[in-house]
Amino acid sequence: MTHVTPFTLPRDSRLMNKDFLFGVATASFQIEGDYQHRLPNIWDTFCATPGKIADGSDGKVACDHINRWREDVQLIASLGVDVYRLSISWGRVLNQDGSINRLGMDFYIALLDALRVRNIKVFVTLYHWDLPQHLEDNGGWLNRDTAHAFAHYSRVVAQELGNRVYAYSTLNEPFCSAYLGYEVGVHAPGHQSRSQGRTAAHHLLLAHGLAMAELRRFAPHAKAGIVLNFSPAYPHSDSAEDAYAARQAHEYHNLWYLMPLMQGRYPEIIDRLAPQERPEIQPGDMDIITAEMDYLGINYYTRNVYRAGGELGFEDVRIDNVPRTAMDWEICPDAFTELLKDLSSEFALPPIYITENGAAEEDVMQDGEVHDTMRLAYLQSHLLAVHQAIEAGVDVQGYFAWSLMDNFEWAEGYRKRFGLVYVDYLTQQRTLKSSAKAYQGLLAQRQTLGQQE
Ligand code: IFM
């Protein structure tokens, strides 16, 4: 058996403190399967559209988590994590008329109870992209009513799950839902229009704000916040033009979501859009959107590089000779530290949880083992990046690896593996990769340190 060196952090790092939360994350559509017992959603439709998913796959079985959740809870517990971050499938817990689907709701209740028995805190994401298809048929996120439907769904979940949830996230990565789903169309529902992308983003943010009010009322003891993804924007050259382009890209892709939440306004790049491309902001919307949050979830994977050009003043540059993951994303842990420092100095942020961070690798199973050297190095360097941000004064309170196990990677299908745990999709057998063992080792060390104190 290959010996795996645990991830290491300085002994006195805040990450080694027992109140820093380590976790693993997943999302409903990516792992659950069992599509027969829930409403069809936009990803079912997208997967059924030829050419949309790289390997032609879908989420009908995925990791068969609905049937294997007991085994998966044991797997999570075996890692020694404090937190499991999961998402709820809207169309599994609610019927089309808004009433409760008991079977689906009871599944999550049993799952949360099993996690509680093992002392694992649960971060529940309410929306990780699986919008029920009947809502999309009514306009989806282009229709303001969807924000109200989301508030109703959030209320029912909060009422049903009660104190089992440690923290709720309203949305996961609204950038992906809005931009990838409605503006460039590489994600469900596959629309391609700038004005639709911006409108969807506004309604998602509104949905977040409306849901925050429901969570405060019906889950007053749980933390409540949102999860945003950030790909920091870097200039391609030292020129003032490229520096400006990078700022524009940052505003368009990152701050478009954070600024309304924190400051009640869209960034200045909104002025570059034609009037018909701008979202309709109704009186009172920003008051709803700026609802105070207990935390901000930050997902970080990579940075992007831009130069001046393009319709909005910036265009992507693919730089050569840099290390990349199997997603072709540049590996850049320094940009992670910088991002955390920059956001914390520009905004009055609530405490931060790193709700996702991880890497896709071409994993190979050999003699029953998966020695994922690139992922090991990636996670080690990114854990240190978080440590450095904390040393610089950023208030980070947790780190959750993406993902617990290999799963359906959206438009990439099952070919891109992000798991700490390898999934054999033919047998559904789960195998700890070296990265899972290194994470386990780190968490065991932290436990020992805690006992010595
Ligand atoms: O798999 C996704 C996840 O659903 C959302 N954040 C990024 C991950 C990797 O692409």
Side-chain angles (χ1 to χ4, degrees):
M1 236 181 24
T2 321
H3 171 73
V4 179
T5 310
F7 294 130
T8 48
L9 287 161
R11 264 176 89 99
D12 59 354
S13 170
R14 218 181 91 52
L15 279 85
M16 294 307 272
N17 206 308
K18 61 180 180 325
D19 61 11
F20 187 88
L21 299 181
F22 279 101
V24 283
T26 63
S28 49
F29 192 83
Q30 295 180 273
I31 65 164
E32 286 181 356
D34 189 53
Y35 70 104
Q36 303 92 328
H37 295 109
R38 57 161 175 76
L39 299 175
N41 65 50
I42 54 174
W43 274 93
D44 294 315
T45 311
F46 200 63
C47 291
T49 312
K52 298 296 185 194
I53 310 298
D55 59 3
S57 62
D58 55 41
K60 287 183 178 157
V61 178
C63 304
D64 194 29
H65 173 68
I66 291 283
N67 296 309
R68 294 167 195 268
W69 64 271
R70 289 182 183 80
E71 178 195 337
D72 290 339
V73 167
Q74 272 172 22
L75 199 61
I76 297 164
S78 77
L79 296 175
V81 291
D82 311 296
V83 167
Y84 177 45
R85 173 176 179 246
L86 60 93
S87 84
I88 300 227
S89 159
W90 187 341
R92 190 179 290 289
V93 296
L94 290 195
N95 298 312
Q96 189 159 335
D97 63 2
S99 63
I100 296 176
N101 173 340
R102 211 53 267 169
L103 186 68
M105 192 65 87
D106 287 347
F107 160 71
Y108 291 110
I109 290 175
L111 174 61
L112 265 50
D113 283 344
L115 290 161
R116 188 154 61 164
V117 167
R118 287 166 179 79
N119 253 329
I120 297 171
K121 294 182 169 54
V122 186
F123 273 61
V124 162
T125 306
L126 290 165
Y127 186 69
H128 199 124
W129 311 352
D130 40 3
L131 184 72
Q133 183 61 40
H134 70 93
L135 292 169
E136 175 61 23
D137 295 341
N138 258 337
W141 291 111
L142 302 177
N143 185 342
R144 243 181 116 83
D145 292 348
T146 300
H148 292 280
F150 181 71
H152 165 76
Y153 154 61
S154 304
R155 169 193 290 223
V156 175
V157 171
Q159 284 173 324
E160 285 286 317
L161 301 189
N163 287 330
R164 295 173 179 89
V165 178
Y166 180 76
Y168 283 97
S169 310
T170 53
L171 309 175
N172 178 69
E173 303 180 347
F175 159 87
C176 296
S177 304
Y179 182 73
L180 301 182
Y182 288 82
E183 192 157 333
V184 293
V186 295
H187 275 192
H191 298 222
Q192 293 179 347
S193 139
R194 184 177 296 151
S195 71
Q196 291 194 8
R198 299 298 116 180
T199 298
H202 185 66
H203 291 154
L204 280 152
L205 290 168
L206 185 65
H208 156 81
L210 293 169
M212 285 294 291
E214 302 293 341
L215 295 173
R216 293 303 188 204
R217 185 156 166 222
F218 294 100
H221 302 298
K223 292 182 194 292
I226 194 170
V227 171
L228 302 182
N229 59 307
F230 292 90
S231 299
Y234 281 72
H236 184 230
S237 74
D238 291 339
S239 72
E241 291 78 11
D242 285 357
Y244 184 68
R247 174 70 196 181
Q248 298 291 99
H250 182 49
E251 290 192 1
Y252 198 66
H253 292 315
N254 298 322
L255 298 187
W256 194 273
Y257 307 89
L258 184 62
M259 219 179 240
L261 294 164
M262 302 309 304
Q263 299 179 346
R265 64 190 169 101
Y266 284 105
E268 277 162 26
I269 194 164
I270 195 170
D271 299 335
R272 285 187 91 122
L273 303 184
Q276 70 278 8
E277 291 174 339
R278 297 178 197 167
E280 187 196 329
I281 306 167
Q282 294 194 5
D285 282 3
M286 286 301 181
D287 293 335
I288 296 169
I289 291 171
T290 48
E292 195 180 340
M293 298 189 287
D294 297 318
Y295 73 94
L296 174 67
I298 291 184
N299 295 353
Y300 173 83
Y301 290 90
T302 189
R303 69 164 190 165
N304 286 326
V305 177
Y306 297 93
R307 67 174 161 232
E311 274 181 46
L312 294 176
F314 58 88
E315 58 190 24
D316 274 286
V317 184
R318 187 184 189 283
I319 49 169
D320 295 326
N321 304 320
V322 290
R324 289 177 182 275
T325 70
M327 295 293 276
D328 202 31
W329 296 346
E330 184 187 347
I331 301 174
C332 195
D334 291 348
F336 193 13
T337 308
E338 288 308 308
L339 168 77
L340 294 170
K341 286 176 15 188
D342 289 351
L343 291 179
S344 301
S345 62
E346 194 174 340
F347 297 93
L349 296 181
I352 294 168
Y353 289 91
I354 305 305
T355 33
E356 284 180 32
N357 174 239
E361 180 165 0
E362 310 282 348
D363 292 316
V364 183
M365 165 85 82
Q366 231 175 0
D367 302 327
E369 294 187 28
V370 181
H371 197 49
D372 50 343
T373 47
M374 187 272 282
R375 188 176 292 104
L376 281 169
Y378 181 100
L379 292 173
Q380 173 66 71
S381 60
H382 286 72
L383 284 164
L384 280 170
V386 176
H387 164 73
Q388 274 152 14
I390 294 175
E391 290 286 287
V394 182
D395 184 9
V396 184
Q397 302 200 348
Y399 172 96
F400 313 154
W402 183 269
S403 175
L404 164 66
M405 58 185 158
D406 297 332
N407 56 51
F408 177 76
E409 178 51 28
W410 308 110
E412 299 294 337
Y414 294 96
R415 285 192 198 150
K416 303 289 182 213
R417 294 176 176 270
F418 274 90
L420 299 185
V421 173
Y422 185 88
V423 176
D424 178 332
Y425 293 113
L426 291 177
T427 60
Q428 290 294 348
Q429 196 185 335
R430 279 83 158 124
T431 305
L432 264 59
K433 302 179 193 174
S434 293
S435 54
K437 295 177 190 168
Y439 206 39
Q440 226 173 17
L442 170 74
L443 299 177
Q445 271 174 8
R446 188 186 56 144
Q447 176 83 6
T448 314
L449 278 179
Q451 281 159 359
Q452 286 165 358
E453 272 167 14

